[in-house]
Amino acid sequence: MASDRDVASDRDVLWRRCAHLGRVLLPLVDQEPWRQARRRETLRAWGIDMVVGERLIEVFAAVAAHAVAVDASLSAAGFDALPLRDVADAATGKRDYELLAGLPDTFADDRDGQAVNVFRLHIYKGGQHRHRLFRLSAELRHTLIVLAERSPIASPTCGDVFRRAAELGLPQ
């Protein structure tokens, strides 16, 4: 039987895997340079600072992947088998509170904790901030669908994304 420490450790590792997924998505899709220019133009048109918008997309991806993994009772070891399409569906299909459910109380990386807090703040403030998240969720879904369609594998998983990122030399 797993101890509380083992369970907590697995939850921490699961979050780190989700956060890593969020960090590699945009560099992977930006292998086609015009995609980065289009995304940045879209963010500007929406009145969203490029750095803030791209960081929110990263954390949105991590939070959506985490929500799906928690719903599926996946361990950190099982996370790599999570289909990208499930994360894409969660990005636009889950309610705010569903995305926040099960998130860690604390984060080993302070940057992740701060990013999640900014994400929560957007949800809690509502109005224009929630609308911003709605737009970013569509951008995230588009990014995930592009990566899935670009993959030679019929139903790519998070593990496939990690392997592609490693092949390209993206930070692990």
Side-chain angles (χ1 to χ4, degrees):
M1 186 162 149
S3 71
D4 288 343
R5 176 181 248 170
D6 292 339
V7 171
S9 176
D10 190 66
R11 278 185 268 182
D12 291 341
V13 173
L14 176 61
W15 170 256
R16 285 195 299 272
R17 298 294 286 162
C18 295
H20 181 63
L21 178 71
R23 283 190 291 275
V24 300
L25 288 178
L26 294 181
L28 283 174
V29 82
D30 291 349
Q31 294 302 302
E32 296 173 298
W34 65 269
R35 291 194 183 275
Q36 181 183 60
R38 186 206 56 86
R39 180 180 60 252
R40 291 179 172 177
E41 181 179 311
T42 299
L43 291 173
R44 270 192 301 277
W46 290 342
I48 301 173
D49 176 79
M50 179 208 52
V51 173
V52 171
E54 289 183 348
R55 182 63 176 133
L56 279 169
I57 291 169
E58 289 176 11
V59 75
F60 206 133
V63 168
H66 189 269
V68 175
V70 168
D71 285 352
S73 299
L74 290 178
S75 66
F79 180 73
D80 284 12
L82 183 65
L84 276 188
R85 291 215 183 255
D86 290 359
V87 179
D89 291 345
T92 56
K94 285 194 173 283
R95 307 275 305 174
D96 300 341
Y97 60 87
E98 292 175 309
L99 292 171
L100 296 176
L103 283 176
D105 295 326
T106 59
F107 298 88
D109 184 335
D110 287 340
R111 293 172 301 166
D112 287 344
Q114 291 170 350
V116 168
N117 285 339
V118 169
F119 185 81
R120 283 182 176 130
L121 186 61
H122 274 71
I123 290 170
Y124 297 146
K125 279 193 163 186
Q128 169 187 336
H129 293 87
R130 185 169 281 168
H131 186 67
R132 180 180 293 166
L133 285 182
F134 174 77
R135 287 179 162 173
L136 293 174
S137 73
E139 188 67 27
L140 170 60
R141 181 178 174 75
H142 175 74
T143 297
L144 291 163
I145 297 299
V146 164
L147 290 177
E149 289 174 349
R150 190 188 292 167
S151 174
I153 299 166
S155 183
T157 64
C158 293
D160 296 321
V161 169
F162 293 142
R163 281 186 285 286
R164 182 70 181 137
E167 289 169 5
L168 293 173
L170 295 177
Q172 298 296 307

